[in-house]
Amino acid sequence: MSRLPTYYVSHGGGPWPWMREQTGGRYDRLEASLQAMAQAHHGQVRAILMVTAHWETPDFTLSSSPQPGMLYDYYGFPPHTYQVHYRAPGSPELAQRALDLLQAGGVTARLDPERGFDHGTFSALQAAYPEAQIPVVQLSVLQSFDPAAHIAAGRLLAPLRDEGVLIIGSGLSYHNLRLLNAAGTVPSQQFDAWLQQTLTAASPDEREAQLLQWEQAPSARIAHAREDHLIPLMVAVGAAHDEAGACVYHEDLFMGVVAASSFRFGEVV
């Protein structure tokens, strides 16, 4: 079985795949990038490990239900978006395998048999895998947001890539809802330029060193006043720590106002 790359994807806002009448074509390029990701690995993906920005826990936690429910973790959206379903199965087996890898590396981790899919998972996967047939396990991010801990967790989880598991960090490369307007345009582009350089041009060692100091990047704390949507990137990078990065999606004016990007680490085989 070929080794799968890892991804960090910008997952968009709320339940956007179910809001085409309201959003028009604003998500067309993001949707195309997620579809391209799925097509690049057609027939290779046995399961998906989704590192979601929308689940914060004291210790790493894995969803282990065989049939996860839905978490409508957004506010102010049309009524029908609180009835949507992404019906992919879970995988208790993958959850246990990931737990074992983390614990073998000395990392405290737990299983959660009740956790349902949040929109950081189901919106991106609805675009990429609308048939919802591939099993999905969610991995939380730590409440500490410690970059080193997430990079280390990614390294421990790397063997899953040889087992047909697609590791996806789901967040948003710019996430400051108070500045999701013209005031965020330049800061978002400044931070995005740093991301591009760090993730696609730096050596693997330099990349990790710079990510550990991400707060020093241009406009870092404007782009991420709270880094929940950046931290899934660290797991994706850690799981492909010695492999090159590539930008697989970019818009200078996502939603008409800010720069946003997604990245792949490792080669498409």
Side-chain angles (χ1 to χ4, degrees):
M1 183 175 290
S2 299
R3 166 168 279 207
L4 292 168
T6 70
Y7 286 84
Y8 169 68
V9 301
S10 289
H11 62 231
W16 61 267
W18 291 273
M19 295 177 57
R20 299 187 188 282
E21 290 185 6
Q22 292 86 355
T23 61
R26 285 182 291 175
Y27 282 93
D28 287 355
R29 292 176 63 183
L30 177 59
E31 182 175 39
S33 73
L34 293 166
Q35 291 171 342
M37 176 186 71
Q39 292 165 2
H41 310 295
H42 180 71
Q44 297 177 298
V45 179
R46 178 180 64 84
I48 295 168
L49 181 65
M50 200 75 161
V51 188
T52 171
H54 290 272
W55 189 15
E56 302 169 22
T57 55
D59 301 312
F60 285 112
T61 307
L62 294 133
S63 62
S64 58
S65 170
Q67 295 293 333
M70 298 286 286
L71 292 176
Y72 303 112
D73 56 339
Y74 39 77
Y75 304 93
F77 286 85
H80 78 272
T81 64
Y82 297 90
Q83 304 296 324
V84 302
H85 290 277
Y86 188 72
R87 300 188 186 279
S91 174
E93 296 79 13
L94 172 57
Q96 185 64 52
R97 170 70 172 139
L99 181 78
D100 291 343
L101 288 170
L102 291 171
Q103 291 182 336
V107 173
T108 300
R110 310 177 190 282
L111 299 179
D112 184 339
E114 304 299 326
R115 178 74 182 188
F117 294 142
D118 59 56
H119 88 263
T121 296
F122 66 72
S123 289
L125 293 184
Q126 174 67 20
Y129 296 100
E131 67 281 1
Q133 294 177 346
I134 298 175
V136 178
V137 168
Q138 294 177 127
L139 174 65
S140 69
V141 296
L142 296 177
Q143 292 172 345
S144 68
F145 297 147
D146 180 2
H150 290 85
I151 290 173
R155 289 194 181 185
L156 294 174
L157 294 167
L160 297 175
R161 299 173 54 204
D162 297 312
E163 301 169 12
V165 177
L166 187 63
I167 298 175
I168 303 174
S170 177
L172 201 59
S173 62
Y174 175 91
H175 193 258
N176 186 337
L177 298 183
R178 293 184 178 181
L179 287 180
L180 194 59
N181 51 43
T185 300
V186 171
S188 73
Q189 293 171 348
Q190 291 173 338
F191 185 73
D192 191 272
W194 177 84
L195 272 182
Q196 299 290 343
Q197 172 66 29
T198 298
L199 299 180
T200 70
S203 71
D205 287 343
E206 291 171 338
R207 179 174 69 198
E208 289 193 9
Q210 291 181 40
L211 287 175
L212 291 175
Q213 303 296 323
W214 73 269
E215 290 177 272
Q216 299 178 16
S219 298
R221 276 301 179 188
I222 300 175
H224 292 280
R226 190 172 184 274
E227 60 265 42
D228 50 330
H229 277 63
L230 181 67
I231 287 297
L233 166 66
M234 311 302 175
V235 180
V237 167
H241 70 277
D242 59 349
E243 297 174 63
C247 181
V248 294
Y249 159 75
H250 173 76
E251 291 191 60
D252 273 331
L253 294 174
F254 173 65
M255 300 292 288
V257 286
V258 297
S261 296
S262 300
F263 298 89
R264 183 189 73 239
F265 304 98
E267 297 299 324
V268 175
V269 179

